[in-house]
Amino acid sequence: MRKLLTFLAAAAVLLASPLAQAERLKDLATIAGVRENQLSGYGIVVGLDGTGDQTTQTPFTVQSIAAMLQQQGVSLPPGTALQLKNVAAVMVTTSLPAFAQPGQTIDITVSSIGNAKSLRGGTLVMTPLKGADGQIYAMAQGNVLVGGVGAQAGGAQTVVNHLSVGKISNGATVERAVANSLGADNQIRLELKQTDFATAARVVEAVNNHFGPGIATALDGRVVRVRTPSSSDQRVAFLGILQGLDVSPDKGAAKVIMNARTGSVVMNQAVMLEACAISHGNLSVTITNDTQVSQPNPRSGGQTAVTQNASIEIRKDPGKVLNVPGGASLAEVVKAMNAIGASPQDLLSILQALKAAGSLRAELEII
């Protein structure tokens, strides 16, 4: 634990260095309208080796097979009870990239929604993939690749990795393109990934210094409007240069993120402490039971008795009081916690107490 805190202290020193680190504009902002679109569809995987859905518990699998056979011109007699072991109902999901055109292929993920034991060796039957508007944008089909293996015998079972999810590389073909209004009215909108007025102002300054005054205008702390050339080829070249511009983002608000389930504590370099004193000590109580068996002498007529001898030990480690000067940086905060031997779980309580006392100049967020 001391090694972990020492590493954090070293990292904090590096973060607190005066060297300003510029980032590419493409890492700080996205272009409005240039995005992926999620697609999904309901399909059937066939050709499994007896690891498919149990049809008595997944009636929708039987209904899907009956409907598919009906479309293929095969009519089942009324009341036919299908006992299928090589078929599994699945959900097919993928993301349609920006500017994808009909005929392009994309990767898909196939996930079992029934009680199939494995999708290994199965084949996905042609499945339409729809968007949020209900329109079909791609068609999926192919052999499912599962990155795992499982075996069972004599009541024992061994499974390596996840067998109910697989992927198909280039398993879907795009059938419809998504309309895009990039460059409409000879302008685009840059949307910062984190709302920050200072960073938005620096983006405007960087763009105008490179392309000329009046090219970029900040609409608010998140959106920057940029004028673009009218022709498509010039616009593409312009956006390529634009996304490669270096911008030094503002360091942002001081924030401490705490995960109460794992005990993880993450602080950024803007975290500061007011003058305060921190005390830390541990109280541990240990209770043990020593089981003893009392055996009577032969022919004494007594009975065997089991007794429990409880032992209670209370140990209190000596507490430490550490004085932290006002304006302490992240490096000094971590060093202070390391000096009193605080674990990540102890940091949760200490930082909450510092925030309640008004000594922690940062936003405290518990996830």
Side-chain angles (χ1 to χ4, degrees):
M1 192 56 62
R2 289 183 178 272
K3 293 182 179 180
L4 173 61
L5 294 174
T6 303
F7 172 77
L8 291 176
V13 173
L14 294 177
L15 290 174
S17 60
L19 297 177
Q21 298 181 354
E23 298 184 27
R24 297 179 303 173
L25 187 55
K26 66 169 61 178
D27 298 326
L28 298 176
T30 59
I31 300 176
V34 181
R35 46 158 289 183
E36 295 182 341
N37 291 275
Q38 285 70 41
L39 305 179
S40 64
Y42 173 82
I44 294 294
V45 171
V46 299
L48 300 176
D49 187 16
T51 60
D53 293 337
Q54 297 180 11
T55 54
T56 56
Q57 301 176 6
T58 55
F60 50 85
T61 304
V62 177
Q63 296 174 4
S64 301
I65 290 296
M68 183 182 68
L69 294 177
Q70 184 71 28
Q71 294 177 357
Q72 299 295 330
V74 178
S75 299
L76 297 176
T80 302
L82 298 178
Q83 298 295 329
L84 307 175
K85 295 182 179 181
N86 301 333
V87 178
V90 296
M91 288 298 297
V92 183
T93 57
T94 188
S95 293
L96 184 67
F99 310 117
Q101 298 298 315
Q104 291 184 234
T105 57
I106 53 179
D107 298 343
I108 59 175
T109 301
V110 181
S111 306
S112 171
I113 60 175
N115 53 9
K117 297 179 181 179
S118 174
L119 298 181
R120 189 177 180 87
T123 300
L124 176 69
V125 181
M126 187 171 59
T127 303
L129 302 181
K130 300 180 180 180
D133 57 358
Q135 299 293 327
I136 298 176
Y137 287 89
M139 298 296 294
Q141 183 170 284
N143 297 324
V144 182
L145 176 62
V146 178
V149 65
Q152 58 181 355
Q157 181 178 5
T158 301
V159 177
V160 179
N161 294 335
H162 207 55
L163 302 179
S164 58
V165 177
K167 295 185 68 69
I168 304 179
S169 298
N170 300 325
T173 303
V174 178
E175 301 293 340
R176 182 196 300 265
V178 177
N180 192 287
S181 59
L182 180 67
D185 300 328
N186 296 332
Q187 65 179 15
I188 63 167
R189 288 174 175 245
L190 293 177
E191 299 177 350
L192 297 180
K193 297 179 181 179
Q194 298 291 334
T195 301
D196 188 272
F197 289 97
T199 303
R202 294 178 185 179
V203 170
V204 173
E205 181 181 3
V207 174
N208 289 337
N209 288 341
H210 191 277
F211 294 103
I215 296 298
T217 305
L219 302 182
D220 50 40
R222 193 178 188 92
V223 180
V224 176
R225 182 175 58 198
V226 180
R227 292 195 291 114
T228 63
S230 57
S231 63
S232 60
D233 56 344
Q234 293 179 349
R235 185 186 307 119
V236 171
F238 173 84
L239 293 179
I241 299 174
L242 176 68
Q243 289 188 317
L245 294 179
D246 290 334
V247 179
S248 298
D250 189 71
K251 64 180 181 180
K255 182 175 289 189
V256 178
I257 307 296
M258 301 192 307
N259 191 321
R261 295 182 296 273
T262 63
S264 303
V265 179
V266 178
M267 298 175 280
N268 62 14
Q269 62 178 353
V271 175
M272 305 289 283
L273 282 181
E274 298 289 351
C276 62
I278 303 174
S279 177
H280 174 73
N282 288 325
L283 178 66
S284 60
V285 179
T286 304
I287 302 177
T288 59
N289 284 325
D290 183 16
T291 302
Q292 295 183 352
V293 179
S294 177
Q295 186 71 23
N297 295 327
R299 300 179 182 180
S300 63
Q303 295 182 352
T304 301
V306 179
T307 59
Q308 299 284 346
N309 293 330
S311 176
I312 301 177
E313 179 186 0
I314 300 178
R315 184 178 67 255
K316 183 177 182 181
D317 296 335
K320 299 179 181 180
V321 178
L322 184 68
N323 183 32
V324 180
S329 63
L330 171 61
E332 294 170 328
V333 171
V334 176
K335 287 180 180 178
M337 301 303 179
N338 192 19
I340 61 178
S343 66
Q345 290 291 345
D346 297 327
L347 287 178
L348 297 178
S349 300
I350 293 175
L351 292 174
Q352 285 179 325
L354 288 174
K355 182 66 175 179
S359 299
L360 180 63
R361 295 195 306 185
E363 179 184 354
L364 195 61
E365 182 178 345
I366 301 177
I367 60 176

